[in-house]
Amino acid sequence: MTSTVWHPFTQHGLNEPIPHVARAEGAVLHLADGTTLIDGISSWWVTTHGHCEPRIAAAIAHQATQLDQLIFAAYTHEPAEVVARGLIDLAPRFDSQPSLAHVFYSDSGSTAVEVALKMALGYWHNLSLDGLAEARSRILVLEHSYHGDTIGAMSIGERGVYNAAWTPLLFDVGTIPFPAPGAEQACLDALEAACAQKPAAFIVEPLILGAGGMLLYPAAILREMAAICRKHGVLFIADEVMTGWGRTGTLFACEQAGVVPDIMAVAKGITGGAIPLAATLATAPIFDAHVSTDRARLFYHSSSYTANAIACAAAAANLAIWREEDVLGRIATLAGGIATRLAKLAAHPAFANSRQLGTVAAIDLMAPDAGYLSDLAPRLRAFFLERGLLLRPLGNTIYLMPPYCLDADQLDSVFAALHAAGDMFGAHP
């Protein structure tokens, strides 16, 4: 039977196979034809503890019999309150910096980022109404960044073929060069100069740029970026949608730099990957700028499913797992296993530029015609599919971001497939 589904990031004109997944457990996807796949990318970076994690699944089932959905404008419910308190408790906290103090819910990484941008602009707008500051509207972004696929999120991401059709709708931003090795000071100097022009905010993916190619930069640079923003009174926004929930080796990437952002967006692993939910955390000054007896100055943003009770129950169960289980220990074990195997793979002549941060690892396959729109990535996807592995390379960059339950045997299978891909597709010197 012909499917009527329109899939994301899929060119249906190429008639590539679309596997039908029937169920999942742990790090394994079970296909309708009886075969299995190891999920090497956490199903687009969301699944943390494993698919169908029992505690989270049970919380969802229980909540579905109590309260499913509630308008969140001027109403509340216990799961949302529990998660908000839990997020504030777990958020980066350092004595010398204002703490994140308020939580605004949404339902995806893109919308969490949109909320962050609107919070920042609303902050400056309201201060200007009170005569406390000039209105600011310019946003600074880091080169090669990706923050989502809604209009605002696309505007602050790298421009290219993936958003060219909507260029007329995208607003102008100031782009800071990526702090590549040897170019760190140029990045900081550019940020200093741009901040002197009094923009509203600077937004970054902390420590690692995901869709931009799994590009890493040091925690010391992130710390300097935040310090420059503080020096000039520019709001510092951390997009922890991908980097949060342990991916970089700490619960949030900003912890490694000793940074508390003014605004922080989280999503993906907030429910362990079980159900959509997102949140944008803000410091007290951001919230206070929107508090008034004037209804015209409230924060105008919502969606029908803001703080959905079932999604919040899943997030509450996830937070309990983080509090009560040694998740960071599992992450350290997995990261160590990846590091050992990645070092061996890096010796393969078809690969270059191996890199790792926490459980995120990437390596570049040296192959002819390796651009983002070449057929290399689709051929690699098909190659891995035949070997029982879900991977989705970014052009010639093959990356891993597995669930934390991935075991040693599964990891061996993953790296065996990577070695085989180097043998088949690599341009050997």
Side-chain angles (χ1 to χ4, degrees):
M1 181 171 59
T2 301
S3 174
T4 57
V5 175
W6 191 342
H7 291 267
F9 281 82
T10 300
Q11 178 45 272
H12 286 273
L14 297 176
N15 295 313
E16 295 170 348
I18 299 178
H20 186 148
V21 179
R23 63 185 182 88
E25 182 179 11
V28 177
L29 305 174
H30 295 263
L31 274 59
D33 63 7
T35 60
T36 61
L37 299 177
I38 296 172
D39 188 350
I41 59 168
S42 297
S43 285
W44 242 343
W45 318 349
V46 302
T47 305
T48 51
H49 314 297
H51 289 280
C52 299
E53 202 286 329
R55 294 179 65 174
I56 296 174
I60 291 172
H62 174 73
Q63 186 61 44
T65 67
Q66 304 299 309
L67 173 66
D68 51 1
Q69 167 63 12
L70 172 72
I71 179 175
F72 210 63
Y75 287 83
T76 193
H77 52 72
E78 189 62 16
E81 298 292 341
V82 168
V83 173
R85 291 193 297 268
L87 288 173
I88 294 303
D89 288 344
L90 292 175
R93 186 183 301 271
F94 300 97
D95 290 342
S96 60
Q97 303 169 58
S99 298
L100 293 163
H102 297 276
V103 175
F104 191 96
Y105 289 108
S106 58
D107 49 17
S108 74
S110 294
T111 55
V113 168
E114 295 273 352
V115 167
L117 296 176
K118 291 175 72 172
M119 282 180 176
L121 297 188
Y123 169 82
W124 290 111
H125 174 75
N126 288 344
L127 288 188
S128 71
L129 293 179
D130 293 331
L132 299 176
E134 295 181 3
R136 301 186 185 189
S137 59
R138 189 162 178 77
I139 304 295
L140 302 180
V141 304
L142 195 59
E143 181 187 22
H144 305 310
S145 294
Y146 170 83
H147 296 285
D149 292 321
T150 49
I151 295 299
M154 284 193 296
S155 295
I156 59 173
E158 187 79 0
R159 306 295 170 91
V161 64
Y162 29 84
N163 50 34
W166 306 287
T167 297
L169 301 179
L170 307 184
F171 58 77
D172 184 46
V173 298
T175 301
I176 307 303
F178 179 75
E184 294 92 346
Q185 192 58 50
C187 167
L188 297 177
D189 290 345
L191 179 60
E192 182 88 44
C195 284
Q197 301 302 311
K198 298 183 178 180
F202 175 47
I203 183 168
V204 298
E205 296 171 83
L207 302 187
I208 177 169
L209 275 58
M214 299 298 165
L215 306 177
L216 307 182
Y217 63 96
I221 298 301
L222 180 63
R223 185 163 51 250
E224 287 299 315
M225 289 174 174
I228 290 170
C229 288
R230 282 196 301 272
K231 173 184 173 182
H232 292 279
V234 175
L235 297 179
F236 186 78
I237 304 174
D239 177 356
E240 291 257 19
V241 170
M242 183 272 282
T243 57
W245 307 107
R247 296 297 183 188
T248 67
T250 50
L251 181 54
F252 296 107
C254 283
E255 295 174 31
Q256 299 181 40
V259 166
V260 179
D262 297 292
I263 303 173
M264 185 172 81
V266 296
K268 292 193 183 292
I270 190 173
T271 65
I275 193 169
L277 185 70
T280 306
L281 284 63
T283 58
I286 305 297
F287 176 81
D288 291 344
H290 292 83
V291 175
S292 172
T293 56
D294 182 356
R295 287 188 175 87
R297 292 176 58 171
L298 62 82
F299 185 56
Y300 285 98
H301 188 95
S302 184
S303 67
S304 299
Y305 286 95
T306 294
N308 172 263
I310 296 174
C312 287
N318 175 51
L319 294 181
I321 290 171
W322 274 95
R323 287 193 304 268
E324 299 164 11
E325 300 182 20
D326 185 19
V327 181
L328 289 176
R330 289 182 212 139
I331 288 171
T333 298
L334 177 58
I338 291 173
T340 300
R341 293 162 176 81
L342 185 63
K344 295 178 181 178
L345 183 66
H348 193 297
F351 291 104
N353 192 23
S354 67
R355 51 210 186 268
Q356 181 183 358
L357 182 63
T359 62
V360 182
I363 197 165
D364 297 335
L365 177 63
M366 299 297 98
D369 190 22
Y372 186 82
L373 290 180
S374 78
D375 68 351
L376 176 62
R379 287 189 292 134
L380 284 169
R381 290 202 303 269
F383 178 85
F384 293 131
L385 178 62
E386 291 174 357
R387 284 153 182 79
L389 179 61
L390 168 57
L391 287 181
R392 191 177 176 88
L394 300 165
N396 68 319
T397 295
I398 302 173
Y399 71 90
L400 302 177
M401 199 183 301
Y404 306 144
C405 61
L406 194 74
D407 64 32
D409 289 340
Q410 292 168 330
L411 204 50
D412 284 338
S413 296
V414 170
F415 276 90
L418 296 183
H419 277 273
D423 292 339
M424 175 166 288
F425 297 98
H428 302 283

